Structures are given as structure tokens and as C-alpha cells.
Amino acid sequence: MTACIHRSCTQVLEFESNHNYTKFCRSDYPDQLSCKPISNITTTHKHQEHDTEEEEDLWLKMKDEAKSDVDQEPILSSYYFSLILSHSSLESALANHIAMKLSNSSLPSATLYDLFMGVLTEDQEIVKAVKDDLKAVKERDPACISYVHCFLNFKGFLACQSHRIAHNLWLQDRKILALLIQNRVSEVFALDIHPGARIGSGVMLDHATGVVIGETAVIGNNVSILHNVTLGGTGKSGGDRHPKIGDGVLIGAGTCVLGNIRIGDGAKIGAGSVVLKDVPARTTAVGNPAKLVGGKQNPVKLDKIPSFTMDHVQHVNGWSDYVI
């Protein structure tokens, strides 16, 4: 297995029959990884309040998690080495991982790596959003066991980061490349995000299968969206035609939000709803067509940010007298 798609490097894996660990040796990059057992390699953390230090700690934490995983499953040593441990930065690892995922026989991973790495190096706002997204998934999804687990395996996270790169290219008028990335994301991850859509940071696309986000859609910060959600238009008319999602919004599975409407900050949309009109901030809308819990004149107000709590049933249970 090639350890790195963007450079030539040597790798020797030594499995010791009398020990439950793997050793790594890289003769041409000895400074990056030693020949000690993975569990014995320690990383120095400097816990400081400054945001930059905290962001650097996240990458170091991911590398520590990767080493721990290799200790538990030595057969994955090459996998973790090529995707995490051989990289000096989160940007490099992310560019490499997405490039490997989206490449095919006519679209080499090395070409994609160079493209993605260039975007990530030039636009540090994307890198900050990537870290915010990692933290969001780890904090909100009980199925996420570690940051590195999300980074390697959660397709909603990977699709969102691919979109961030495509959106950067879209804004540079490199629309052919941006649309190509959109197409490959759709084929590989089974969700479709137009590169023109604007997405904030701290976003979680949970499960993500079947998510569709239109060209003029806008998603705020700290939003949680589940699978089979559509942020779509209402016809074939052009222009600004897609929903605007405020900060802290939670959108349940199977929901359709259609048209150039506004979902206010801290609102919650119940699973399976069809939303065709504006939803006020801190309210809950559910049903087909969606109605406000508590009624339009006096809707029940949420006292917590739903995208953080991930509570899909608060106030929804009393919405109707339907009983199974």
C-alpha cells in the first residue's frame, strides 16, 4: 500500500510475534515517526486558552487516537499510517483522504491532492470550519467514538469538507472543477450539495445519505441536519430560490424545506415535515404541511439550542393526539 499519494517514501512494517503491537520505520522521514511501539510514542500537549493552540491540539489528539487504534488493531497499521500518521498537518491528511475517496481511473488522486491542498493552504477559514465540524460531530453524535473515527469514516463530514473546497473553487469562477467535485461527492457519498450553496461552521450532517442542498441555499453556524433532508426550490425558476437556515437549527430526517424561505435561529423541524413557509426563531415546526407547535399566534418557544441538544421529540409529542 502506498503510504502517501503525493510523495515518495519508504515504509517498513515489522510485526513481532511475541508482542501485540506494530513498529514503524521510515528511513527517509525519521523525524515524523520513530521505531518505538505506537503505544510508547507520546505527544506533548500545551493546553492553552488561545484558539490557535486548541486547534493544534485537535490534530495532535487525532494522531494520538490513531496510534491507540493501531495498538488495538495492528492489521490497520498501513491504513492509519497512510491516512493520518504520515502527515504533518490536518490539511495534508484531509486533502489526501478526500482525494483518495473521490479519485477514479480518469481522475488521479495525486491531481486532486494538489488541487485540494492548494485550496486548504490558501484559505485557513476552511481549515477552521473543518475543526469546528469535527468538534460538532464528536459532541453531538453518541455514535462517534473519537475525532479520528469521524475524520476517517463519517461520510457526512467528508462530504461537507469536499463541498467547502468546491465552494471555494466556485467563488473563484472555477465552476467546471467545482461541479466535477459535486458530481464525485454525489456518486461516492450519496448526497448532493451544489457548490454554490453557503455552509457555516460547526455543521453536522448526521448519516447524510440522501441529503440534497440547492445552489442558493444558505446554512448558518452550528446546524445539525439528518439524512434524507432536502433544501430545495419549488420549480424551474432561477435566481435566489432555496432556503436560508439560521444558526443552531435542527432539521429532522426526511424533511423537505422548499423555496426561498427562512428557518429562524434555534428553530427545530420535526422528522418527515414539509416546510413551505418561514419558521420563526426558537420554535418547532412539524407535519405535512408543517405547522408550528403551539399554533401560529402563540408558538411554544425553545429554551435550548436544538442542534446542540439533538432532542427530536421535545414539544413534538404533544403536537397531535395520534396514538399507535
Side-chain angles (χ1 to χ4, degrees):
M1 179 177 180
T2 305
C4 306
I5 65 169
H6 59 283
R7 65 189 179 213
S8 173
C9 58
T10 61
Q11 173 185 336
V12 178
L13 301 178
E14 178 185 343
F15 294 94
E16 295 198 359
S17 59
N18 297 326
H19 300 279
N20 185 28
Y21 59 75
T22 307
K23 291 183 180 179
F24 289 99
C25 298
R26 299 184 76 206
S27 58
D28 50 350
Y29 291 99
D31 58 318
Q32 291 190 8
L33 207 57
S34 74
C35 295
K36 299 178 182 178
I38 293 295
S39 58
N40 291 342
I41 302 175
T42 58
T43 305
T44 301
H45 294 267
K46 296 182 179 180
H47 299 289
Q48 300 182 10
E49 295 181 359
H50 195 278
D51 290 342
T52 302
E53 293 295 332
E54 291 180 356
E55 291 173 359
E56 290 177 355
D57 282 347
L58 179 62
W59 173 237
L60 297 177
K61 172 67 174 175
M62 289 175 60
K63 297 190 82 169
D64 285 343
E65 292 173 346
K67 295 165 188 174
S68 177
D69 288 352
V70 169
D71 280 348
Q72 295 181 51
E73 293 291 349
I75 61 172
L76 296 178
S77 56
S78 293
Y79 175 76
Y80 276 93
F81 183 82
S82 63
L83 295 179
I84 301 294
L85 296 174
S86 64
H87 297 275
S88 60
S89 67
L90 178 63
E91 296 94 309
S92 175
L94 181 63
N96 175 66
H97 191 28
I98 296 177
M100 295 289 284
K101 289 285 188 181
L102 302 185
S103 63
N104 59 24
S105 58
S106 58
L107 191 63
S109 57
T111 300
L112 290 177
Y113 173 84
D114 290 339
L115 174 66
F116 297 166
M117 192 61 181
V119 171
L120 293 172
T121 301
E122 293 174 4
D123 192 344
Q124 285 299 301
E125 286 300 311
I126 294 180
V127 179
K128 184 179 184 302
V130 170
K131 294 172 180 177
D132 288 343
D133 291 352
L134 275 170
K135 294 174 183 176
V137 177
K138 182 65 170 59
E139 292 169 359
R140 301 176 209 165
D141 189 350
C144 181
I145 60 176
S146 66
Y147 293 113
V148 77
H149 176 225
C150 171
F151 181 89
L152 293 176
N153 302 316
F154 279 37
K155 69 177 184 178
F157 168 80
L158 294 173
C160 190
Q161 310 326 313
S162 301
H163 165 75
R164 295 190 189 283
I165 294 173
H167 182 65
N168 176 281
L169 296 170
W170 181 265
L171 294 179
Q172 296 181 47
D173 205 30
R174 303 180 71 181
K175 295 185 177 180
I176 295 176
L177 270 175
L179 292 169
L180 174 62
I181 294 171
Q182 176 197 3
N183 175 256
R184 290 297 298 144
V185 168
S186 178
E187 292 175 340
V188 173
F189 299 123
L191 65 157
D192 194 0
I193 309 175
H194 193 283
R198 289 185 285 156
I199 299 180
S201 62
V203 171
M204 180 177 72
L205 303 180
D206 194 11
H207 301 292
T209 300
V211 167
V212 176
I213 300 174
E215 178 183 4
T216 59
V218 178
I219 299 175
N221 298 322
N222 302 314
V223 172
S224 296
I225 297 176
L226 274 80
H227 49 285
N228 287 322
V229 167
T230 296
L231 305 181
T234 57
K236 65 178 183 179
S237 299
D240 193 355
R241 59 197 185 278
H242 296 105
K244 310 300 181 278
I245 311 300
D247 297 342
V249 171
L250 170 62
I251 304 180
T255 293
C256 291
V257 185
L258 304 177
N260 185 14
I261 61 176
R262 168 93 182 159
I263 309 300
D265 295 348
K268 175 167 62 177
I269 311 299
S273 299
V274 177
V275 186
L276 303 174
K277 296 182 179 180
D278 291 354
V279 176
R282 296 174 51 222
T283 62
T284 300
V286 61
N288 181 5
K291 298 179 181 180
L292 295 177
V293 173
K296 185 176 181 180
Q297 301 303 320
N298 189 29
V300 176
K301 291 288 187 176
L302 299 171
D303 58 357
K304 297 180 180 178
I305 300 176
S307 66
F308 290 168
T309 65
M310 296 298 291
D311 187 342
H312 293 268
V313 298
Q314 183 185 24
H315 303 311
V316 174
N317 285 340
W319 172 73
S320 75
D321 57 2
Y322 176 73
V323 179
I324 296 177

